[in-house]
């Protein structure tokens, strides 16, 4: 690790701002930024703080500045700005939604500290454009107003950006004119906590589909027919869990279809509301493999198109890293090269079914895939990520 980091203060003061929802990102950045050469201050809400406590055990190693329940976001950000002006060297802003309501809160937010924006949607921030969608006039107006705010007033304030993995950075370098630093701190860490090379029942495969059940995020069209056949063929030898909040009409329809499977006597676990963090953790710990039916073409908070794997990352990929699990993704998804040997890809219902059938019929293949997942996850250890943070990120942010 670096021998010396030259900031206005020693140790370097790092701030992390998260007031929306990304607990895994907040937890990961807390862990990575907390080194012998740094001090970390977290700016967040009471609700997110209480959720963070489920994961972050060393709370006394951090300073927390909490938004009061009756305090507006603008007032809180003003308080954060004053704090950063006095104490913080580098501030990570983890989540700004690309909506007019959220962006207006950041219109005057501009601390003197170096600022790194975690960009979740590359096109929305680096390739913003005006859109026209007559079917959704309100969303169109919001997208266009947001695009102008991003381009003219908010994005230029940041000294660098962070995207969650290399393919997004490569896309930025090849397809945009962005000239500032692009870092790749991920949204999850492998901590060697949850590993189990052998299934408790080697004759049964447990599959988990984590993440929000939302139309622009997931495509279940191949999942339903594939699992109808798999459940019928391998009665009692396949389990399926879907720990994700169903969103909107699409989410409700997906929930009902999985509920029909469950009512047929198949081993399906589905949730109608928010899944508590401890239950979510346990379901992924107990699974053998993660299935991520990612919808490749998506959109951001507005109407700007994003491409999963190229301009927007999937948190499900980092579930695979955190828990050292093999994963199945659509063939067109640009996967992290570090996970290549623990990743299966599918292009059809038949293809998806064959992959899972092979694992049920050949327990040794499942074991080998798990070993590869464990080996690959170690590339994202806390030590490796902290070395990247200290050697690559902080030196570029010196005042």
């Amino acid at each position: 690790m670096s021998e010396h980091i030259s900031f206005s203060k020693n140790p370097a003061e790092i701030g992390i701002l998260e007031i929306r929802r990304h607990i895994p990102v907040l937890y990961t950045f807390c862990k990575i930024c907390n080194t012998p050469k740094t001090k970390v201050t977290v700016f967040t809400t009471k609700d997110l703080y209480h959720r963070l406590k489920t994961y972050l055990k060393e709370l006394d190693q951090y300073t927390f500045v909490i938004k009061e329940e009756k305090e507006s976001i603008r007032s809180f950000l003003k308080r954060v700005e004053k704090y950063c002006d006095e104490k913080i060297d580098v501030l990570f802003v983890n989540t700004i939604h690309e909506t007019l309501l959220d962006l207006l809160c950041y219109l005057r937010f501009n601390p003197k500290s170096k600022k790194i924006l975690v960009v979740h949607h590359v096109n929305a921030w680096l390739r913003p454009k005006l859109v026209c969608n007559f079917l959704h006039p309100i969303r169109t107006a919001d997208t266009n107003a947001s695009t102008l705010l991003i381009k003219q007033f908010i994005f230029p304030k940041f000294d660098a950006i962070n995207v969650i993995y290399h393919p997004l950075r490569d896309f930025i370098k090849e397809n945009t004119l962005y000239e500032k630093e692009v870092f790749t701190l991920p949204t999850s860490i492998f901590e060697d906590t949850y590993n189990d090379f052998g299934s408790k029942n080697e004759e049964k495969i447990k599959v988990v589909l984590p993440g929000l059940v939302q139309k622009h995020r997931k495509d279940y069209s191949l999942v339903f027919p594939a699992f109808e056949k798999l459940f019928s063929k391998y009665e009692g030898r396949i389990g399926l869990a879907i720990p994700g909040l169903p969103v909107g009409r699409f989410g409700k329809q997906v929930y009902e279809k999985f509920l029909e499977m469950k009512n047929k006597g198949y081993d399906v676990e589905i949730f109608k509301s928010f899944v508590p963090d401890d239950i979510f953790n346990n379901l992924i710990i107990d699974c053998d493999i993660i299935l991520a039916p990612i919808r490749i073409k998506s959109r951001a908070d507005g109407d700007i198109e994003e491409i999963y794997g190229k301009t927007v990352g999937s948190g499900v990929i980092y579930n695979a890293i955190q828990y050292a699990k093999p994963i199945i993704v659509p063939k067109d998804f640009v996967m992290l090269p570090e996970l290549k040997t623990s990743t299966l890809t599918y292009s059809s219902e038949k293809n998806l079914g064959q992959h899972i059938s092979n694992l049920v019929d050949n327990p040794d293949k499942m074991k080998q895939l798990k070993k590869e997942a464990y080996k690959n996850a170690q590339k994202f250890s806390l030590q490796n990520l902290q070395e990247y943070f200290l050697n690559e990120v902080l030196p570029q942010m010196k005042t």
Side-chain angles (χ1 to χ4, degrees), residues 93-125:
V93 178
N94 280 8
T95 306
I96 301 180
H97 290 312
E98 300 95 22
T99 64
L100 193 59
L101 182 63
D102 212 28
L103 290 165
L104 284 172
C105 296
Y106 288 87
L107 197 56
R108 295 185 178 181
F109 181 72
N110 193 20
K112 297 175 183 177
S113 56
K114 293 288 186 177
K115 296 173 290 297
I116 303 175
L117 176 67
V118 180
V119 171
H120 300 277
H121 304 118
V122 169
N123 282 342
W125 284 94

Side-chain angles (χ1 to χ4, degrees), residues 217-254:
R217 296 177 187 271
K218 305 283 175 52
D219 180 2
Y220 297 90
S221 61
L222 303 181
V223 175
F224 293 124
F227 272 88
E228 282 284 1
K229 293 175 183 176
L230 287 165
F231 278 128
S232 179
K233 180 179 180 180
Y234 297 103
E235 186 174 355
R237 297 180 65 190
I238 291 181
L240 181 62
I242 308 94
L245 172 69
V247 179
R249 182 183 300 177
F250 174 83
K252 183 177 180 181
Q253 291 172 345
V254 170

Side-chain angles (χ1 to χ4, degrees), residues 199 201-206 236-239 267 288 360:
S199 173
N201 179 0
E202 292 185 359
E203 295 184 354
K204 184 172 183 176
I205 294 292
K206 293 183 179 180
R237 297 180 65 190
I238 291 181
D267 184 1
D288 294 290
V360 177

Side-chain angles (χ1 to χ4, degrees), residues 147-348:
T147 291
L148 293 174
L149 283 182
I150 287 172
K151 191 172 182 178
Q152 298 294 328
F153 300 104
I154 296 178
F155 193 54
K157 297 177 185 178
F158 289 90
D159 302 285
I161 62 173
N162 187 88
V163 292
I164 68 172
Y165 48 54
H166 304 295
L168 273 66
R169 183 185 62 186
D170 295 341
F171 182 90
I172 291 170
K173 297 293 186 183
E174 295 169 7
N175 297 278
T176 76
L177 299 177
Y178 188 72
E179 296 180 346
K180 297 179 184 178
E181 294 294 334
V182 182
F183 303 118
T184 55
L185 290 172
T187 58
S188 192
I189 305 167
F190 173 64
E191 297 181 276
D192 207 1
T193 305
Y194 310 113
N195 297 298
D196 175 22
F197 291 130
S199 173
K200 296 173 184 177
N201 179 0
E202 292 185 359
E203 295 184 354
K204 184 172 183 176
I205 294 292
K206 293 183 179 180
V207 182
V208 65
L209 285 75
L212 292 174
V213 183
Q214 198 167 13
K215 187 173 183 179
H216 70 270
R217 296 177 187 271
K218 305 283 175 52
D219 180 2
Y220 297 90
S221 61
L222 303 181
V223 175
F224 293 124
F227 272 88
E228 282 284 1
K229 293 175 183 176
L230 287 165
F231 278 128
S232 179
K233 180 179 180 180
Y234 297 103
E235 186 174 355
R237 297 180 65 190
I238 291 181
L240 181 62
I242 308 94
L245 172 69
V247 179
R249 182 183 300 177
F250 174 83
K252 183 177 180 181
Q253 291 172 345
V254 170
Y255 171 83
E256 294 294 337
K257 286 187 178 181
F258 280 123
L259 186 61
E260 288 178 14
M261 288 186 179
K262 182 179 178 68
N263 290 338
K264 290 180 181 179
Y266 299 145
D267 184 1
V268 176
E269 193 163 2
I270 182 73
F271 297 82
K272 200 170 187 177
S273 57
F274 173 77
V275 182
D277 296 317
D278 56 342
I279 294 176
F280 181 89
N281 286 343
N282 289 334
L283 286 172
I284 302 187
I285 291 169
D286 291 340
C287 83
D288 294 290
I289 191 166
I290 292 173
L291 172 59
I294 297 166
R295 186 181 297 278
I296 303 301
K297 289 189 176 182
S298 181
R299 63 176 177 83
D301 294 314
D303 260 340
I304 295 178
E305 183 178 87
E306 305 285 351
I307 302 173
Y308 266 105
K310 291 185 179 180
T311 73
V312 58
S314 173
V316 177
I317 307 308
Y318 282 100
N319 291 147
I321 291 170
Q322 180 181 357
Y323 300 92
K325 299 292 182 179
I327 189 167
I328 308 176
V329 298
K331 186 178 180 180
D332 292 337
F333 181 80
V334 181
M335 174 53 79
L336 286 174
E338 293 93 336
L339 302 185
K340 183 177 180 180
T341 60
S342 56
T343 300
L344 302 175
T345 64
Y346 67 91
S347 57
S348 65

